Structures are given as C-alpha cells and as structure tokens.
Amino acid sequence: MKKIFLLLMLLVPAMTFAGCSDGNDDPQTEIPDVPDNPGGDDNDDDEPDPANPGNGKILIAYFSRWGNTNYPADVDASTGASIIINNGNRRGTTQVVADYIQTAVGGDVHLIETSAPYPVDFDDVRDLNHSEQENGTRPALKSRIGNMAQYKTVFIGYPVWATTVPQAIRSFLGSYDFAGKTVVPFCTHDGYGAGSSYRAVQDAVSGATVTDGLALLASDVPSSESRVREWLERIGVQREEPQGTAIRITAGGRTFTGKWLDTPLAREIREMFPLTATLGRYGGREYYGSMPQRPTHTEEGQLHFENGDITYCPSNNTIAIFYAKADDPSMGTLTMRIIPIGKVTSDLGAFDEMESRSEFAFDNVQ
C-alpha cells in the first residue's frame, strides 16, 4: 500500500495540470456576465474591467483563461464542468469568487490580461504553461494599473496550474511595489488544492503581509459564498467605511446623509454645492440625471457599483445614486463607465418609496 501511495505522489506533478482540464481551466469555464441593461459607450461592454479609484482601498485582481483566449463565437459553454449559470448569465469559477469578495467587502475588480492571448486548445495551453514555467517566462500584460499606491489590500486570484500560479500572476506581482500592503491569495482548483501557489505569491511580494489564502474546489464554488465570507471574517478583511467630507442630500421631502470623496473630480463637483439636479429612477437600482455643468477632472471610470455609491458618468455628464441591485447579475454590471464621487450612508430603502422623478439637492453639512 505504501508503494502504491509513493508511486501516486511521484505522478502528481506530471498529472496536475492535465487534471485541471475538466474543471476551472477548461476552455469553456471562464465565461463573463453579459449585461442586460441598456446603453453603452465606446464598446465598453467588450473591454476588460480595469481597476479604477474606489472608496474601499481594496483591489481584487484575478487571472483566468476567459479574457486571455480568443474563443470562437460558437464555443459551447454548456459542457464546462465549472460553468456557473445564474439568470442566463455565465461566469467561470475564479471570477465568481472575485465577485463574492467584492460583494462582501467592496473594492475594485481587475482582470489580469496578457498581451498575447493563450491558445484555445487545452493541450497547447498546458504545453505553453510548462514552457513558461521551465524557462521562467513572465508574459507581458496588456495594461498597467496607474494608481496602485491607493490600494492597501490586494486580493490575488487564479486557477492553480501545475501546482502553482499561472506565470501571468508572476508578471502582475512583479510589476508593482507591494511593500506595506496586505496581499490576500485565493484560488480555484480541481482536486489538488493550492499546491505551492501561496508560497509563490509570498515570494513575489517583498515587504507585504500575506494572509491565509482560500482554495476552493471548482465544483464547490456555486455554494461557497458563505465560506468566502467566513474566510474574510477570519483573516480580518472588512468593508471600509467611506472617508471624506460629510454631505447632506434632500429629495422628495427626505434627507439623506453621505460622505464625499477626496479626489480631484469629487472636489471639483463639491465646489458646485449647493448643487441641484432632477434625477429619475432607472431599473429599481438608481436615480440619475444631467449635471448643471460638466466638470473638467475626469477618469476612465469603472463598470460596476456598490449600493450607496454616488457617481459621475463622463460619457453623458450625469450624476447618479445607486441604491440597490449591486449583487444582481443582470443589473450589477454596467455598459457605461462611472466614477465614484461619494457614498450615501443613511437608509437606502427609502429610495424605493420615493417618486420616480425628483429634484435632488446636494450640500455640505454645516
């Protein structure tokens, strides 16, 4: 019996990457959400979601084959062992875990994307990964986060390839200074666990504090949101309260309290206070309307929101308050980029009781 066990242990390194082909590294497994909400600008719905300034100082960066492979339009996702379908939207396991984390603690989600796509055929991906590992190759990345200094906590997510991290993760970690930050690894696998991947992350982030990681069996991901929350609580990562200047919002005879962020755009808009705008309800998730004038400080923006976010959309010069449905797959992903400028800190349920169109007044708290 001991001889058989020893033989199996010797075979694991050679078999590990091939074993992933039935789960979260299957070409059909990493399928992104398809937003159902109307609108769109500059084909943003076809672009990866870059990290952009948020109010939680948390970054959730992850690597997956989807977004790094040019799959044919008719790729069959129905047979993927790790595909998760929710209200008609398909996502892969690594992305789903990243979404669980964002729902629990907020932050910005970033897909790590390589400049050269990976092959569609799994055997070719396996061979390329082995070659990259053996030669120490770090694939070039498509984009760089220009504001990494703002993030104090950085989650790093990936599928386990050949018992360790994909080389794209090493590329990402080697591109920034993580000294003084908290780095949190999480991974999906098909039965072999995290392997040596946590050590690989630890070795790549000199000067950072690396917490206990989370390794989830790909087939368990659909039922693992509570486990993710328990892990976050155990390692002490919590949603940060927004920092900034206290503001007051009045609308429909109601008064809301909030925080205004300390960013160039938010400061410019706050200089317009008292600011009055007519906002209308959309989709049971937000009130939005035109700004009285267009600010000059703009950024690229992001395609997701948290409940309570006050945002500015540079594409159509609108201000919005998102009050619900951040965790709804069909409504929580946007097609027009927004920039957070503040946060409502009082009861969001009151927005559902208001008229569909109201005049909103934003002002400083005296």
Side-chain angles (χ1 to χ4, degrees):
M1 185 66 182
K2 290 183 178 179
K3 291 181 179 180
I4 295 174
F5 177 78
L6 178 59
L7 178 60
L8 289 174
M9 290 300 294
L10 291 173
L11 288 173
V12 164
M15 297 170 57
T16 298
F17 191 79
C20 293
S21 64
D22 290 329
N24 61 309
D25 283 329
D26 189 302
Q28 293 89 14
T29 58
E30 295 285 348
I31 308 296
D33 288 327
V34 178
D36 295 327
N37 45 316
D41 62 320
D42 301 324
N43 295 319
D44 281 338
D45 51 327
D46 294 326
E47 296 291 332
D49 185 11
N52 296 280
N55 55 22
K57 297 181 182 178
I58 292 174
L59 175 66
I60 307 161
Y62 74 96
F63 172 81
S64 70
R65 288 196 65 200
W66 184 267
N68 287 286
T69 302
N70 295 326
Y71 291 115
D74 60 349
V75 61
D76 180 13
S78 64
T79 58
S82 296
I83 196 68
I84 296 175
I85 302 176
N86 188 352
N87 294 327
N89 296 303
R90 297 181 175 92
R91 294 176 292 166
T93 54
T94 307
Q95 179 186 351
V96 169
V97 179
D99 290 344
Y100 286 161
I101 295 169
Q102 186 190 41
T103 298
V105 299
D108 301 325
V109 175
H110 174 70
L111 169 65
I112 298 171
E113 187 176 12
T114 55
S115 297
Y118 278 84
V120 173
D121 183 78
F122 178 79
D123 289 340
D124 292 339
V125 175
R126 179 192 58 202
D127 293 344
L128 177 57
N129 177 71
H130 285 164
S131 175
E132 288 179 341
Q133 288 185 344
E134 291 171 1
N135 298 317
T137 303
R138 295 186 179 185
L141 302 183
K142 204 167 190 178
S143 62
R144 178 177 176 82
I145 297 174
N147 54 348
M148 179 63 86
Q150 73 166 322
Y151 297 109
K152 304 304 180 185
T153 301
V154 181
F155 288 83
I156 301 294
Y158 49 88
V160 176
W161 283 6
T163 77
T164 189
V165 297
Q167 288 297 99
I169 292 294
R170 298 181 191 271
S171 297
F172 181 82
L173 295 178
S175 298
Y176 305 96
D177 180 8
F178 288 88
K181 299 183 185 296
T182 297
V183 175
V184 188
F186 67 95
C187 62
T188 56
H189 64 89
D190 291 300
Y192 296 96
S196 62
S197 66
Y198 295 162
R199 172 55 59 184
V201 172
Q202 176 81 63
D203 291 345
V205 291
S206 178
T209 299
V210 180
T211 72
D212 290 341
L214 177 68
L216 292 173
L217 187 65
S219 59
D220 289 344
V221 168
S223 59
S224 292
E225 184 168 11
S226 61
R227 184 176 170 188
V228 171
R229 289 181 177 273
E230 291 168 1
W231 165 64
L232 292 169
E233 183 176 351
R234 185 172 69 252
I235 64 176
V237 179
Q238 300 176 341
R239 182 185 295 274
E240 291 189 359
E241 292 298 322
Q243 302 297 313
T245 303
I247 63 165
R248 178 176 58 250
I249 306 167
T250 57
R254 300 174 183 270
T255 299
F256 302 91
T257 58
K259 294 285 187 179
W260 208 253
L261 301 183
D262 187 21
T263 64
L265 173 61
R267 288 195 297 270
E268 181 182 0
I269 294 177
R270 192 161 65 86
E271 290 175 357
M272 304 176 189
F273 285 10
L275 185 153
T276 301
T278 300
L279 309 184
R281 180 188 288 125
Y282 169 72
R285 74 178 183 194
E286 67 182 281
Y287 275 89
Y288 80 101
S290 298
M291 287 278 291
Q293 64 187 82
R294 180 179 289 272
T296 59
H297 291 89
T298 60
E299 303 159 2
E300 184 179 11
Q302 62 193 44
L303 293 174
H304 64 271
F305 64 90
E306 297 176 14
N307 292 337
D309 277 353
I310 306 171
T311 67
Y312 173 73
C313 178
S315 296
N316 55 14
N317 190 40
T318 56
I319 188 171
I321 298 175
F322 289 89
Y323 63 89
K325 300 191 177 181
D327 57 351
D328 184 336
S330 66
M331 295 293 286
T333 302
L334 308 173
T335 58
M336 301 185 74
R337 296 190 182 276
I338 58 172
I339 305 169
I341 53 177
K343 190 89 169 183
V344 176
T345 56
S346 52
D347 180 25
L348 298 176
F351 285 97
D352 268 329
E353 302 170 1
M354 294 171 53
E355 297 292 331
S356 61
R357 191 172 182 83
S358 296
E359 184 175 271
F360 283 70
F362 299 80
D363 204 355
N364 296 304
V365 173
Q366 302 300 323

